[in-house]
């Protein structure tokens, strides 16, 4: 079960995640929001480690931080104009949505703490999952795996088609 | 880009990187050409400077005629000569200051000098902590220097004291 | 690590709870690694790089502070510590302050998974290789943050270039590493090393004809990921002043550079672990050393590993003075048109090789080793040829 | 001692923060940031139930697919955002409404 060390890690990670999440949700500076994603992703990766999903944790770091987050940063920096440090990230309907969100989280909290969750066994120590995931992906989950790769290929082609400027016909003299 | 071109590019990259590595590696074993200037030079630095280089100015006071030609020639007025006259002693200099901080080493002052008294010396390491120290005072403070009177023209020239020559050029310059 | 914590807990600190001891040991270990290994290594590498660079350019290099200038890095460090900590007025202050630490964090976390010998490793993660690639991504974020936070156009462009470059070159890196992962069947660095032997023909480098290619791809793309020349576009002095670190000074500047030099070690260590047998020493030597003292084999292993790493550190430094900087389009062309396709071919080739010859081909490994030996011999011959036949016609005396 | 509920609560917090971001932002990129948070919360939930539930690696695989989908979504959405920026010179959702008669 969870040791005091893991409790400590959970507390630290929660602090990071909540701070980063608040920065994303409430900061008026879009760049801060984008950089705060780093904290959220690292925190969730830490949760994955605590929950024994080490492979998912590393993939989370690799894909989210190495790929998605840098993509976001690129997009933020490219669409806001380089040199404008104080760009704002305006919010709408905060007064209407804040109470709703508070209600939502209270509901979720009540749900989480009142439901009798099915806990199969005392969670065991962290076991390496990499080999098992690899086996499962190439046997049981082969179809979703292939579909995911096709999806990624489609994404690749679609993104290139979307993002390139209009094709200019270059006349060769 | 054809297929053969593609593989040719890869081959070119590999061979040129290899060749580049051999060249840089061979230079690693060669003797450095650096002259470690102030302290580890093959000969004194003043000897390495060519004969007619323009560095600091010096005035040989014993042959200075106080003609003020150099003061007039100086385009930026960095030479300041004061002369006074006194009965019995004659004309003498009370100041002969060269502000080396202003000097631009044009050498115009050395040309009109009748005796070659003002000339360049092959010395350039005179860093100081204040601009005041850059002023060369050839007449000591409060001192009087009686100018040299050149002999009459009809006298043979050989008797004139030879102007100090520039230091001898180094016989061999280091080759490394 | 955990063993150490448990030992300390049982023998020395009665009463203190295990988790506290664990925490202390964790921080202690990182402090020790940082103080005793990374910092001196980065410092001495900076000095060695300057000396080698100087000698390659027929100069002498820093040789005044201490014997042969070896203390130059200490002098530089002290100088940087005492410098004024400048923050530009246009800078985004929190990001500007945070960025060097992120860069440093991304580099330093990598040391967790790198093995120094068979027992000297902070934590043998079973996803070690992916962990190293993942944490180096944090460095990319740090560089973008440094570029943005500085509020300077040069920094901005440098940071964007760095991020684009690191993202692009992660693909050939991963693919080249995949060749070894296929052979080893594991992501744990210790398992990968255990799959190899001490002698060259037992290394993964010479396991099959595709691995040498993968080796060069990995080396090139790691150099590119570390923003080293000839791929140092993010800090191209001639174009971008100094790229993302233009506005930094004092200690923060030192942190960024610290990460860069320690990164040299990481590149060398990764290549060594994946292809060159890591810390493996011959069994006979290991047994003899074990007879002398129980810690002696570990020292030998560490020295073996370290020497192999140093060879690569030297090669990368030499590469910097060998090749000119590539252009941005050339950089992307090298990555996407050359490294990635060839790396794909390598992965497929290794997979096929493993299907056809599951036990490996012994004569092929010997042959590849012999070819590599011949190439090294030819290299030495060419170096000697260059020394004898290309005289530097430098009558070099500035005073004449 | 942390329980399953603590993890679930954190996941809920991330989820709600993400929802709030999506609802209140006017900037396309801001909305996408919120989406990432929501997706992360979902993946976290799956892994939590896998760890405390039946202890199989299926949860990890689902989480991996969530990550893959997030990557695909981010790439396409950012391409759309960039195209939007090229056409309108702004990525404010309240200003880019040419289709709205």
């Amino acid at each position: 079960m969870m040791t005091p060390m893991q409790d400590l890690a959970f507390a630290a990670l929660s602090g990071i995640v909540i701070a980063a999440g608040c920065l994303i949700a409430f900061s008026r500076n879009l760049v801060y929001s984008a950089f705060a994603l780093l904290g959220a992703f690292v925190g969730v990766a830490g949760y994955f480690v605590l929950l024994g999903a080490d492979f998912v944790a590393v993939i989370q770091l690799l894909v989210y931080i190495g790929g998605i987050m840098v993509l976001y940063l690129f997009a933020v920096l490219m669409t806001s104009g380089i040199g404008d440090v104080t760009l704002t990230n305006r919010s709408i309907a905060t007064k209407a949505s804040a109470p709703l969100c508070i209600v939502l989280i209270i509901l979720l909290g009540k749900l989480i703490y009142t439901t009798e969750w099915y806990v199969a066994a005392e969670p065991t120590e962290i076991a390496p999952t990499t080999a098992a995931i690899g086996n499962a992906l190439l046997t049981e989950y082969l179809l979703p795996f292939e579909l995911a790769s096709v999806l990624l290929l489609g994404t690749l082609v679609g993104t290139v088609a979307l993002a390139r400027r209009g094709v200019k016909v270059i006349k060769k003299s | 880009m054809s297929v053969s071109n593609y593989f040719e590019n890869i081959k070119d990259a590999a061979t040129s990187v290899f060749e580049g590595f051999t060249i840089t590696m061979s230079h690693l074993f060669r003797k450095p050409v650096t002259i470690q200037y102030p302290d580890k030079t093959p000969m004194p630095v003043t000897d390495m400077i060519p004969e007619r280089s323009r560095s600091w100015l010096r005035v040989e006071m014993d042959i200075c005629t106080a003609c003020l030609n150099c003061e007039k020639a100086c385009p930026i007025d960095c030479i300041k000569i004061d002369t006074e006259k006194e009965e019995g002693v004659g004309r003498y200099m009370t100041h002969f200051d060269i502000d080396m901080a202003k000097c631009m080493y044009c050498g115009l002052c050395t040309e009109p000098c009748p005796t070659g008294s003002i000339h360049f010396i092959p010395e350039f390491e005179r860093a100081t902590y204040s601009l005041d120290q850059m002023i060369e005072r050839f007449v000591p403070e409060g001192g009087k220097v009686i100018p040299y009177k050149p002999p009459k023209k009809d006298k043979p020239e050989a008797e004139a004291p030879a102007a100090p020559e520039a230091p001898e050029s180094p016989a061999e310059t280091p080759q490394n | 690590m955990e063993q150490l914590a448990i030992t300390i807990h049982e023998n020395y600190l009665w009463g203190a709870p295990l988790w506290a001891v664990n925490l202390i040991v964790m921080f202690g270990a990182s402090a020790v690694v940082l103080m005793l290994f990374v910092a001196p290594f980065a410092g001495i590498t900076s000095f060695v790089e300057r000396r080698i660079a100087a000698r390659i350019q027929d100069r002498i290099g820093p040789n005044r502070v201490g014997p042969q200038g070896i203390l130059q890095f200490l002098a530089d460090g002290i100088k940087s510590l005492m410098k004024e900590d400048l923050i530009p007025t246009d800078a985004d202050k929190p990001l500007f302050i945070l960025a060097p630490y992120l860069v440093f964090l991304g580099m330093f976390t990598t040391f967790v998974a790198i093995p120094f010998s068979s027992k000297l490793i902070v934590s043998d993660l079973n996803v070690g290789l992916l962990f190293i690639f993942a944490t180096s991504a944090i460095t990319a974020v740090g560089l973008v943050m440094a570029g943005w936070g500085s509020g300077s156009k040069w920094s901005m462009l440098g940071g964007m270039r760095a991020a684009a470059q690191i993202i692009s070159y992660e693909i050939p890196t991963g693919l080249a590493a995949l060749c070894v992962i296929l052979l080893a069947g594991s992501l744990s660095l210790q398992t990968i090393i255990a799959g190899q032997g001490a002698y060259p023909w037992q290394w993964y480098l010479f396991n099959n004809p595709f691995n040498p290619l993968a080796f060069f791809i990995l080396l090139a793309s790691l150099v590119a990921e570390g923003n080293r020349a000839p791929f140092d576009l993010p800090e191209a002095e001639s174009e971008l002043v100094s790229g993302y670190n233009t506005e930094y000074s004092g200690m923060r500047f030192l942190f960024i550079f610290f990460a860069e030099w320690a990164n040299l070690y990481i590149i060398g260590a990764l290549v060594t672990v994946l292809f060159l047998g890591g810390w493996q020493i011959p069994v006979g030597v290991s047994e003899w050393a074990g007879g002398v003292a129980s810690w002696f084999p570990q020292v030998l292993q560490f020295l073996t590993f370290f020497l192999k790493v140093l060879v690569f550190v030297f090669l990368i430094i030499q590469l910097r003075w060998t090749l000119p900087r590539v252009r941005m389009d050339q950089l992307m062309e090298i990555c996407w048109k050359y490294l990635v396709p060839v790396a794909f071919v390598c992965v497929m080739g290794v997979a096929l090789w493993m299907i056809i010859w599951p036990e490996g081909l012994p004569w092929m490994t010997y042959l590849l080793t012999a070819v590599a030996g011949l190439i090294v011999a030819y290299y030495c011959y060419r170096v000697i040829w260059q020394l004898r036949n290309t005289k530097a016609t430098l009558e070099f005396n500035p005073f004449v | 001692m942390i329980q399953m509920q603590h993890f679930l609560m954190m996941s809920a917090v991330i989820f709600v923060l993400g929802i709030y971001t999506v609802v209140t932002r006017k900037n396309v990129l801001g909305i996408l940031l919120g989406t990432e948070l929501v997706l992360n919360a979902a993946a976290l939930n799956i892994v939590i139930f896998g760890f405390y539930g039946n202890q199989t690696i299926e949860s990890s695989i689902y989480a991996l697919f969530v990550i893959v989908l997030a990557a695909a979504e981010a790439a396409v959405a950012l391409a759309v955002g960039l195209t939007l920026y090229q056409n309108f010179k702004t990525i404010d959702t309240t200003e880019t409404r040419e289709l709205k008669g």
Side-chain angles (χ1 to χ4, degrees), chain A residues 59-140:
Chain A
I59 291 296
Q60 159 107 359
L61 281 182
L62 196 64
V63 174
Y64 267 110
I65 294 176
I68 296 176
M69 196 185 149
V70 179
L71 263 183
Y72 271 111
L73 286 174
F74 261 87
V76 168
L77 302 186
M78 280 169 90
T79 54
S80 59
I82 297 173
D84 180 19
V85 183
T86 58
L87 81 165
T88 53
N89 186 13
R90 283 183 296 157
S91 305
I92 46 167
T94 46
K95 278 178 190 149
S97 47
L100 281 178
C101 283
I102 290 169
V103 169
L104 183 61
I105 194 148
I106 290 171
L107 276 179
L108 278 175
K110 192 167 164 49
L111 186 81
I112 287 166
Y113 282 102
T114 51
T115 313
E116 289 287 317
W117 296 105
Y118 164 70
V119 177
E122 199 67 348
T124 47
E125 267 299 298
I126 296 166
T129 56
T130 317
I133 287 174
N135 278 332
L137 276 183
L138 287 183
T139 52
E140 266 183 84

Side-chain angles (χ1 to χ4, degrees), chain B residues 1 3-14 16, chain C residues 333 338:
Chain B
M1 192 172 64
V3 176
S4 68
N5 204 344
Y6 184 83
F7 287 106
E8 224 160 75
N9 281 348
I10 294 177
K11 201 199 96 200
D12 280 355
S16 58
Chain C
E333 194 171 309
Y338 291 93

Side-chain angles (χ1 to χ4, degrees), chain C residues 26-87:
Chain C
M26 213 167 70
F27 279 107
S30 51
V32 164
V33 171
L34 184 64
M35 300 274 184
L36 293 186
F37 185 75
V38 183
F41 182 83
I44 291 173
T45 310
S46 76
F47 161 72
V48 167
E49 169 161 20
R50 291 172 67 186
R51 281 307 289 265
I52 291 174
R55 289 307 298 269
I56 285 176
Q57 299 167 343
D58 293 343
R59 294 185 287 118
I60 294 174
N63 65 345
R64 293 304 166 100
V65 192
Q68 285 298 307
I70 188 78
L71 296 179
Q72 182 71 43
F73 74 95
L74 280 181
D76 286 347
I78 293 166
K79 179 197 75 178
S80 293
L81 274 175
M82 299 200 306
K83 269 192 169 179
E84 187 187 352
D85 182 25
L86 281 174
I87 297 178

Side-chain angles (χ1 to χ4, degrees), chain A residues 3 16 19 23 30-31 34-35 41 58 92 96 101 106 112 136 145-147 156 168:
Chain A
T3 60
I16 292 174
L23 208 55
L30 185 58
V31 179
F35 278 118
F41 290 156
V58 174
I92 46 167
C101 283
I106 290 171
I112 287 166
F145 183 67
E146 291 299 329
L147 283 179
L156 188 73
K168 287 172 191 162

Side-chain angles (χ1 to χ4, degrees), chain B residues 23-91:
Chain B
I23 291 170
T24 44
M25 192 67 168
S26 76
H27 275 270
L28 202 59
F29 297 117
R30 287 176 200 196
K31 205 172 163 238
V33 294
T34 308
I35 294 167
Q36 301 190 51
Y37 153 58
D39 46 1
K40 284 185 197 161
T41 47
M43 61 178 72
V45 180
T46 45
D47 293 355
M48 293 161 77
I49 291 182
E51 197 183 335
R52 303 179 71 83
S53 65
R54 294 174 181 178
S55 299
W56 278 65
L57 284 167
R58 185 189 283 166
V59 184
E60 306 291 334
M61 290 313 289
D62 47 351
I63 55 168
C64 177
T65 61
C67 60
L68 308 189
N69 277 349
C70 50
E71 192 184 11
K72 286 168 198 153
C74 185
I76 44 179
D77 296 338
C78 68
I79 301 174
K80 179 167 159 274
I81 305 171
D82 288 344
T83 57
E84 280 176 26
K85 255 183 186 173
E86 204 176 296
E87 286 300 318
V89 188
R91 193 164 153 269

Side-chain angles (χ1 to χ4, degrees), chain C residues 102-143:
Chain C
L102 267 188
V103 175
F104 187 73
L105 179 83
M107 184 280 303
F108 184 61
T109 322
T110 319
F111 277 85
V112 170
I114 288 183
F116 294 88
S117 77
S118 60
K119 285 188 186 138
L120 200 59
I121 178 170
V122 179
S123 172
D124 183 22
L125 300 172
N126 76 310
V127 285
L129 201 55
L130 277 183
F131 179 77
I132 290 175
F133 292 150
T135 47
S136 67
I138 297 179
T139 312
V141 176
L143 296 184

